[in-house]
Amino acid sequence: MDEVTYQAVTTITYLRNTVDRIVSLEAGWAPHLKNTDLRKADLEGANMSGVDFSGADLSEAKLETACLSKALLFNGKLSKAHLHRADMTGTYLHKAVLKEAVLIEAILANADCNEADFSDAKMAKADLTEGSFQEAIFKNAKMAGTVCTGAKFDDADLKAANLVRANFSFAFITNADLSYTTARHANFGEADCTGSVLTSADFTGAKLAGVNLRGVDLTGALLAEADLTGADLTNADLTAADLTNANFTGANLSGSNLNQITLSAATNLTGIWANQTNKPTNVRPEVAAAITYV
C-alpha cells in the first residue's frame, strides 16, 4: 500500500472517531477506494462505514473491530483478512473472496454475500442473521456457534463445514450442498432445506423440528438423538441413515426411502404419517406399524 493511500485511510477514520462535529457534517458521505491496494494494511478499529472498496485488495489486512457497515466490497479480495469482531452489518460483499479469513464474532447481519467465497474461513460465533449467502461457498468453513436465523443459503456450498451448535432456524437452505457437514446440536428449526444434499452429514442431537426436508438426500446421515418433530421428509432419501433415539413425532414420511435405516427402541415414531398415494419405500416392520396413511 502506498503512503498516500495509507494516510487517506487513517485520516478518515481519525476524523470519524475523534471529531464529533466533522462526523455530523460528513454524515451520508463516504470516500471511494475502488481497486486500491490495501494488502496487509493495519486498519484495526477503523471506521470505514459506507466506503466503496469495490475490487479493492484487502488480503491479510488487519481489520479487527473495524466498522465496515454498509461498505461496498463487490468483488473485493479479503483472503486471510483479520476481521475479528468487525461490524459488517448490511455490507455488500457480492462475489467477494474471503478464503481463510478470520471472522470470529464478526457481524454480517443483513449483509449481501451472494456468490462470495468463505472457503476455510474461521467464523465461530459470527452473526449472519437475515444475511443473503445464495450460491456462496463455505467449504470447510469453521462456523461453530454462528447465528444464521432467517438467512438465505439457497444453492450454497457448505460441504464439510463445521456447524456445531450453529443456529439456522427459519433459514432458507434450498438446493444447497451440506454433505459431510458437522452440525451436531445445531438448530435448524423451521428451516427450508428443500432439495438439499446432506449425504453423510452429522446432525447428532440437532434440532430439526418443523424443518422442510422435501426431496433431501440424507443417505448415510447421522440423526441420532435429533429432534425431527413435525418435519416434512416427503421423498427424502434416508438410506442407511442412523435414527437411533431420534424423535419423529408427527413427521411426514410420504415417498421417503427408509432402506437400511438404524433405529432403536427409544426412537420416537409417534404420529408419523404418509400420503396414501405416495407411500414410503423399504419400510421396516416397526416403522410400517406406526405409520398413519391419509
Side-chain angles (χ1 to χ4, degrees):
M1 180 174 59
D2 63 86
E3 184 63 23
V4 174
T5 302
Y6 179 76
Q7 289 298 327
V9 171
T10 54
T11 299
I12 291 164
T13 194
Y14 172 77
L15 289 173
R16 285 182 161 182
N17 291 339
T18 62
V19 186
D20 292 340
R21 182 170 177 274
I22 297 297
V23 172
S24 64
L25 289 173
E26 64 92 49
W29 171 82
H32 294 279
L33 294 171
K34 291 182 178 180
N35 303 311
T36 51
D37 185 351
L38 294 163
R39 286 175 293 177
K40 297 185 178 181
D42 187 352
L43 301 171
E44 182 175 354
N47 186 344
M48 294 285 108
S49 60
V51 174
D52 189 348
F53 284 111
S54 298
D57 192 345
L58 289 151
S59 301
E60 299 184 60
K62 295 182 179 179
L63 291 157
E64 294 94 337
T65 69
C67 179
L68 291 160
S69 63
K70 297 183 179 179
L72 301 178
L73 280 153
F74 171 72
N75 237 5
K77 302 175 182 66
L78 294 104
S79 293
K80 297 184 179 180
H82 299 272
L83 291 152
H84 184 203
R85 293 186 178 177
D87 183 356
M88 304 173 81
T89 304
T91 301
Y92 189 75
L93 286 153
H94 190 77
K95 292 188 176 181
V97 178
L98 297 102
K99 291 182 178 179
E100 299 182 62
V102 179
L103 291 147
I104 297 171
E105 296 183 15
I107 302 173
L108 288 143
N110 296 298
D112 182 343
C113 302
N114 294 336
E115 299 183 63
D117 190 347
F118 292 89
S119 299
D120 297 293
K122 297 178 177 65
M123 305 179 70
K125 297 183 179 179
D127 183 356
L128 281 62
T129 303
E130 296 188 1
S132 186
F133 302 89
Q134 298 177 84
E135 298 185 56
I137 302 172
F138 292 89
K139 281 185 179 178
N140 300 306
K142 311 299 186 292
M143 302 173 69
T146 54
V147 178
C148 306
T149 307
K152 297 179 177 66
F153 290 89
D154 305 299
D155 300 294
D157 185 348
L158 290 141
K159 189 173 183 177
N162 183 343
L163 309 178
V164 174
R165 297 188 185 282
N167 187 349
F168 281 81
S169 57
F170 300 99
F172 300 88
I173 321 171
T174 63
N175 302 309
D177 186 354
L178 288 89
S179 56
Y180 300 97
T181 293
T182 301
R184 299 170 70 91
H185 304 290
N187 182 2
F188 279 74
E190 304 293 337
D192 186 355
C193 299
T194 306
S196 291
V197 177
L198 281 73
T199 305
S200 299
D202 186 354
F203 278 77
T204 302
K207 296 178 181 178
L208 299 163
V211 68
N212 187 340
L213 294 165
R214 296 174 68 91
V216 170
D217 185 353
L218 287 154
T219 304
L222 302 179
L223 293 162
E225 300 180 5
D227 180 5
L228 287 138
T229 304
D232 187 349
L233 290 150
T234 301
N235 299 326
D237 190 348
L238 289 152
T239 299
D242 185 351
L243 312 179
T244 302
N245 296 350
N247 185 353
F248 278 82
T249 302
N252 180 0
L253 298 175
S254 299
S256 58
N257 186 346
L258 304 173
N259 188 38
Q260 300 178 36
I261 58 172
T262 301
L263 299 171
S264 68
T267 302
N268 191 342
L269 301 172
T270 304
I272 56 174
W273 62 282
N275 192 296
Q276 181 68 38
T277 59
N278 187 22
K279 295 183 178 181
T281 59
N282 301 304
V283 186
R284 290 176 54 167
E286 56 268 54
V287 178
I291 295 175
T292 298
Y293 288 101
V294 298

